[in-house]
C-alpha cells in the first residue's frame, strides 16, 4: 500500500550505529586477552582477503574516546558493540580478566557520559579458542554453561547501565559459514555437525535469556538475526514453492525457535529423512520455550530471489569476496531452492542486491509472524570509498542507500510495525571478515589498507553529516 502521509518516527527512536569487537578493536593480545577462534582462523592461508586479520583492526581499543567523541558530535543515540568473550575470560571457562572488563567499563561510561545508549552484543562470532580446543566449541553442551557464566558476569556488571542486550549475532551465518562452507571458524564442512552445533547454540541462546530473567535485569534482550525476505523468481508455482522453502530453511528454522521454542515441521521432516536432525535431550524443548526474547534484532542487507532446484541441481556456490562485480556463483539446496538473479534491483560490487523495499517486507513479515518489537541492529552498504586530498569522502551512494532504507522503515512504522531503532552498519570503517578493509561501511573513514595500517586516521564522510541531520530532525529531513 502507498500511504498519503507517513507517521513520524517515535520520539525515543534509537538512531544508532554498530560494530563488533574483532572487526574494530585490535589489541589482539593486550591486557590479558585470550585467543579467539578468529585470531586463529585468519592465520590459515587463503581464508581471508589478502590474509587480513583483526590484530590491529581500526585500533578502537586505544581510540575509543576519539570514536565516541565523533558519535557524540554527530548526535548518535545508540551504539551497538560486542564484547570479546576472550577478553573477559581468556580461556573461556576459567579466571575472569579484570583488565578486559575495564575496557568495556570505560567504553560504556564514555557512551553514557555523552547520552549514547549502549547496545551490548554478547557474542559476535569470537568464541575463545581454548573452548574450541577443549571440547569443540558450539558442538559441546558444555558451552551452554560456559556461555551463560560469561553472560552472567556482564549482566551483573552492567545492569542499570546497559538497557539493550543482543544474545547471539547472526547464528544462521556463523553456523552455516562455519560448518557448511568452511568459510568461518571452525572451518568444517559437515552438515550433521552443523545441525547439532546449531541446536546447542539455540540452547545457549535460550539459557542466557533465562538467566537474564532470573537476575531481573533492567533491560531488554534478543538475538540479532540475519534476515532478508525471499522472493520467487516469478509466479511459476514451483518457484513460489522454492521461495516458501527458503523462508522455512533460512529464516523460520531459527526465528521460530527463538520465539515459539519449536522447529518448523517441514524443515525438521526433511532433515529427518536425511539423518541430519540434531539430538534433542530431555528438557531441551522446555528450555527453548521458556526463553522468548523481548525483541527481534534484525540485520538486513538484501533480499534473496530463488527458483526451483531439481534434486540433481546446484548446492554451495561461490561468494564474491573480491569486490569484482559478477564473481559470485548461484548456490542452493538440491530439491529445495536455488538462488536466481533479480532483474529489478541493482547490486553492489560484492553482488549484494540493493533493495530498500525488502526491509519493509522484512519488518512486516517478522511483525506478523512473531508479533515482537524489532530493533534493526544492522543495515548498510559495503562499498569502495575515495579519500580526497582535502580529507573529504563523497559517499553519495551510501547516503542514497541509507535514505531509501530509512524511508521504508518509516513506511513500515506507518503500516503498524513497532520498530525500536535503527543501527547502521557500521560506525567507523572496519575489517570485513572475509573481504578485508577495502569493503567499507562506515560514516567515519579509517585510513588504512589491507596490508598497510598507515596512521589509522579518522575522517568524516559526507554520510556522517547526512545522518547527523537525520538524527537532529528525528527523521523528518532525509
Ligand atoms: C553481518 C555481520 O553479517 O554483516 C557483520 O554481523 C558483517 O559482522 C556485516 O561485517 C557485513 O558483512 P561483510 O561480509 O560485508 O563484512
Amino acid at each position: 500500500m502507498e500511504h498519503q502521509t507517513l507517521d513520524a518516527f517515535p520520539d525515543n527512536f534509537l538512531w544508532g550505529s554498530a560494530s563488533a569487537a574483532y572487526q574494530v578493536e585490535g589489541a589482539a593480545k593486550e591486557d590479558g586477552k585470550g585467543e579467539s577462534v578468529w585470531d586463529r582462523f585468519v592465520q590459515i592461508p587463503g581464508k581471508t582477503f589478502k590474509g587480513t586479520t583483526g590484530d590491529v583492526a581500526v585500533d578502537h581499543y586505544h581510540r575509543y574516546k576519539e570514536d565516541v567523541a565523533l558519535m557524540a558530535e554527530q548526535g548518535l543515540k545508540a551504539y551497538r558493540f560486542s564484547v570479546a568473550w576472550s577478553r573477559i575470560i581468556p580461556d573461556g571457562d576459567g579466571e575472569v580478566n579484570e583488565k578486559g572488563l575495564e575496557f568495556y567499563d570505560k567504553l560504556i561510561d564514555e557512551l553514557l557520559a555523552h547520552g549514547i545508549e549502549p547496545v551490548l552484543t554478547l557474542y559476535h562470532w569470537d568464541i575463545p579458542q581454548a573452548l574450541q580446543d577443549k571440547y569443540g566449541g558450539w558442538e559441546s553442551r558444555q558451552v551452554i554453561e560456559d556461555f551463560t557464566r560469561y553472560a552472567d558476569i556482564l549482566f551483573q556488571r552492567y545492569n542499570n547501565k546497559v538497557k539493550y542486550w543482543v544474545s547471539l549475532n547472526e547464528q544462521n551465518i556463523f553456523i552455516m559459514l562455519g560448518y557448511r562452507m568452511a568459510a568461518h571458524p571452525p572451518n568444517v564442512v559437515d552438515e550433521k555437525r552443523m545441525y547439532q552445533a546449531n541446536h546447542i547454540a539455540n540452547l545457549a541462546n535460550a539459557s542466557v535469556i533465562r538467566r537474564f530473567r532470573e537476575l531481573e535485569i533492567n533491560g531488554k534482550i534478543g538475538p540479532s538475526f540475519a534476515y532478508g525476505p525471499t522472493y520467487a523468481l516469478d509466479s511459476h508455482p514451483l518457484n513460489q514453492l522454492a521461495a516458501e522453502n527458503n523462508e522455512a530453511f533460512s529464516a523460520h528454522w531459527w526465528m521460530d525457535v527463538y520465539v515459539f521454542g519449536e522447529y518448523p515441521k517441514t524443515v525438521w521432516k526433511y532433515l529427518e529423512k536425511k539423518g541430519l536432525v540434531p539430538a534433542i535431550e530431555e528438557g531441551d524443548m522446555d528450555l527453548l520455550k521458556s526463553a522468548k526474547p523481548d525483541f527481534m534484532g534484525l540485520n538486513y542487507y538484501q533480499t534473496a530471489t530463488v527458483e526451483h532446484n531439481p534434486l540433481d541441481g546446484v548446492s554451495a556456490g561461490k561468494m564474491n569476496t573480491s569486490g569484482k562485480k559478477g564473481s559470485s556463483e548461484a548456490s542452493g539446496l538440491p530439491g529445495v531452492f536455488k538462488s536466481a538473479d533479480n532483474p529489478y534491483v541493482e547490486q553492489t560490487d560484492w553482488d549484494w542486491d540493493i533493495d530498500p523495499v525488502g526491509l519493509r517486507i522484512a519488518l512486516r513479515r517478522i511483525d506478523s509472524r512473531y508479533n515482537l518489537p524489532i530493533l534493526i541492529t544492522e543495515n548498510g552498504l559495503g562499498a569502495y570509498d575515495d579519500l580526497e586530498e582535502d580529507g573529504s569522502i563523497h559517499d553519495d551512494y551510501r547516503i542514497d542507500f541509507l535514505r531509501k532504507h530509512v524511508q521504508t522503515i518509516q513506511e513500515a512504522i506507518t503500516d503498524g510495525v513497532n520498530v525500536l531503532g535503527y543501527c547502521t552498519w557500521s560506525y567507523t570503517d572496519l575489517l570485513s571478515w572475509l573481504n578485508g578493509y577495502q569493503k567499507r561501511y562506515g560514516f567515519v573513514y579509517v585510513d588504512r589498507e589491507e596490508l598497510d595500517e598507515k596512521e589509522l586516521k579518522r575522517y568524516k564522510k559526507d554520510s556522517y553529516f547526512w545522518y547527523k541531520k537525520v538524527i537532529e530532525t528525528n527523521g523528518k529531513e532525509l
Side-chain angles (χ1 to χ4, degrees):
M1 68 199 84
E2 285 185 36
H3 299 292
Q4 295 279 0
T5 53
L6 294 179
D7 289 4
F9 284 93
D11 286 341
N12 55 357
F13 192 76
L14 293 171
W15 296 102
S17 192
S19 73
Y22 188 71
Q23 298 179 273
V24 293
E25 286 177 2
K29 294 189 178 139
E30 257 179 77
D31 292 335
K33 180 181 172 295
E35 193 187 18
S36 81
V37 288
W38 270 93
D39 290 313
R40 182 73 65 90
F41 180 75
V42 295
Q43 308 299 331
I44 306 170
K47 286 293 172 187
T48 64
F49 182 70
K50 293 191 178 171
T52 36
T53 77
D55 286 355
V56 175
V58 296
D59 198 33
H60 177 68
Y61 193 79
H62 299 112
R63 301 177 196 227
Y64 74 90
K65 275 199 178 184
E66 182 186 348
D67 292 342
V68 175
L70 284 161
M71 295 174 203
E73 187 190 326
Q74 195 186 25
L76 214 68
K77 302 272 189 222
Y79 175 58
R80 172 178 178 239
F81 61 94
S82 78
V83 172
W85 183 346
S86 63
R87 281 198 198 283
I88 309 305
I89 310 171
D91 65 358
D93 62 355
E95 299 250 316
V96 174
N97 176 33
E98 191 54 32
K99 277 261 170 218
L101 282 164
E102 278 167 20
F103 169 67
Y104 298 105
D105 293 349
K106 288 186 287 186
L107 173 62
I108 290 167
D109 288 343
E110 192 73 12
L111 290 167
L112 293 173
H114 289 93
I116 302 168
E117 191 80 56
V119 179
L120 190 156
T121 305
L122 295 168
Y123 185 72
H124 203 124
W125 305 353
D126 47 359
I127 189 170
Q129 180 67 37
L131 298 185
Q132 192 63 44
D133 295 340
K134 193 168 170 182
Y135 53 62
W138 295 103
E139 288 179 76
S140 163
R141 283 174 177 260
Q142 183 57 39
V143 77
I144 303 166
E145 188 183 318
D146 293 338
F147 183 54
T148 307
R149 171 178 174 245
Y150 153 71
D152 192 300
I153 293 165
L154 300 178
F155 290 155
Q156 308 225 31
R157 185 132 174 157
Y158 302 126
N159 189 16
N160 293 320
K161 286 192 173 184
V162 173
K163 301 265 164 53
Y164 292 91
W165 301 77
V166 173
S167 46
L168 296 181
N169 179 70
E170 296 190 353
Q171 184 183 336
N172 51 338
I173 302 297
F174 79 78
I175 291 289
M176 288 202 295
L177 269 60
Y179 292 90
R180 177 180 275 157
M181 297 167 73
H184 275 200
N187 198 20
V188 168
V189 181
D190 186 322
E191 300 242 307
K192 179 84 189 155
R193 286 170 63 186
M194 175 176 89
Y195 285 109
Q196 191 58 35
N198 184 61
H199 179 61
I200 292 171
N202 279 328
L203 295 168
N205 185 70
S207 170
V208 297
I209 294 180
R210 194 158 74 175
R211 189 75 192 118
F212 189 86
R213 307 274 180 245
E214 282 163 5
L215 291 169
E216 297 184 353
I217 299 297
N218 173 22
K220 295 184 191 306
I221 188 165
S224 276
F225 188 71
Y227 176 60
T230 310
Y231 303 146
L233 178 63
D234 55 31
S235 54
H236 191 298
L238 287 179
N239 293 339
Q240 291 290 334
L241 192 62
E244 298 247 336
N245 289 342
N246 197 35
E247 283 285 313
F249 277 76
S250 308
H252 305 161
W253 178 251
W254 284 276
M255 287 194 284
D256 281 13
V257 178
Y258 296 145
V259 183
F260 307 137
E262 277 170 14
Y263 285 107
K265 268 189 240 136
T266 44
V267 185
W268 187 266
K269 197 75 196 300
Y270 170 92
L271 296 179
E272 217 166 31
K273 280 183 180 287
K274 294 205 166 282
L276 291 174
V277 282
I280 308 277
E281 293 185 5
E282 211 188 314
D284 284 3
M285 299 317 285
D286 290 338
L287 172 58
L288 296 178
K289 274 192 197 308
S290 73
K292 190 174 166 178
D294 296 304
F295 61 84
M296 187 63 73
L298 167 64
N299 291 358
Y300 174 78
Y301 287 91
Q302 56 174 333
T303 41
T305 301
V306 300
E307 61 185 319
H308 173 65
N309 194 14
L311 281 171
D312 58 355
V314 296
S315 48
K318 194 173 150 271
M319 285 187 290
N320 168 356
T321 55
S322 63
K324 291 198 182 70
K325 216 170 182 167
S327 60
S328 56
E329 289 168 7
S331 63
L333 207 52
V336 185
F337 57 81
K338 79 167 175 205
S339 60
D341 291 337
N342 183 339
Y344 300 103
V345 301
E346 309 241 298
Q347 296 188 319
T348 72
D349 285 320
W350 280 262
D351 299 334
W352 291 26
D353 285 359
I354 300 176
D355 183 4
V357 177
L359 175 54
R360 181 176 176 190
I361 297 171
L363 292 165
R364 286 181 39 168
R365 284 191 188 170
I366 294 173
D367 173 74
S368 67
R369 191 172 177 99
Y370 303 113
N371 194 22
L372 280 177
I374 302 165
L375 178 61
I376 299 167
T377 37
E378 288 182 29
N379 173 242
L381 174 71
Y384 297 108
D385 288 331
D386 290 321
L387 175 62
E388 308 289 338
E389 268 180 23
D390 64 358
S392 58
I393 300 98
H394 303 305
D395 59 341
D396 44 307
Y397 36 89
R398 183 169 293 103
I399 295 175
D400 186 57
F401 179 100
L402 295 172
R403 174 190 292 123
K404 288 181 174 150
H405 284 77
V406 172
Q407 270 161 356
T408 66
I409 297 168
Q410 194 173 4
E411 282 164 347
I413 291 173
T414 311
D415 294 334
V417 181
N418 181 1
V419 187
L420 301 171
Y422 177 60
C423 293
T424 67
W425 187 263
S426 53
Y427 192 68
T428 61
D429 289 338
L430 42 67
L431 171 67
S432 170
W433 308 90
L434 304 179
N435 312 281
Y437 290 91
Q438 61 167 6
K439 188 181 187 187
R440 295 174 181 274
Y441 279 95
F443 290 126
V444 175
Y445 184 97
V446 180
D447 191 19
R448 70 155 292 168
E449 288 167 12
E450 271 66 38
L451 306 173
D452 184 358
E453 284 149 26
K454 301 188 180 174
E455 288 174 27
L456 293 154
K457 253 187 96 174
R458 274 74 168 139
Y459 297 88
K460 297 168 195 161
K461 303 182 192 178
D462 287 355
S463 57
Y464 176 98
F465 299 101
W466 171 80
Y467 200 50
K468 184 173 195 284
K469 194 83 194 175
V470 173
I471 301 171
E472 249 164 42
T473 62
N474 199 32
K476 282 195 193 73
E477 249 179 69
L478 294 179

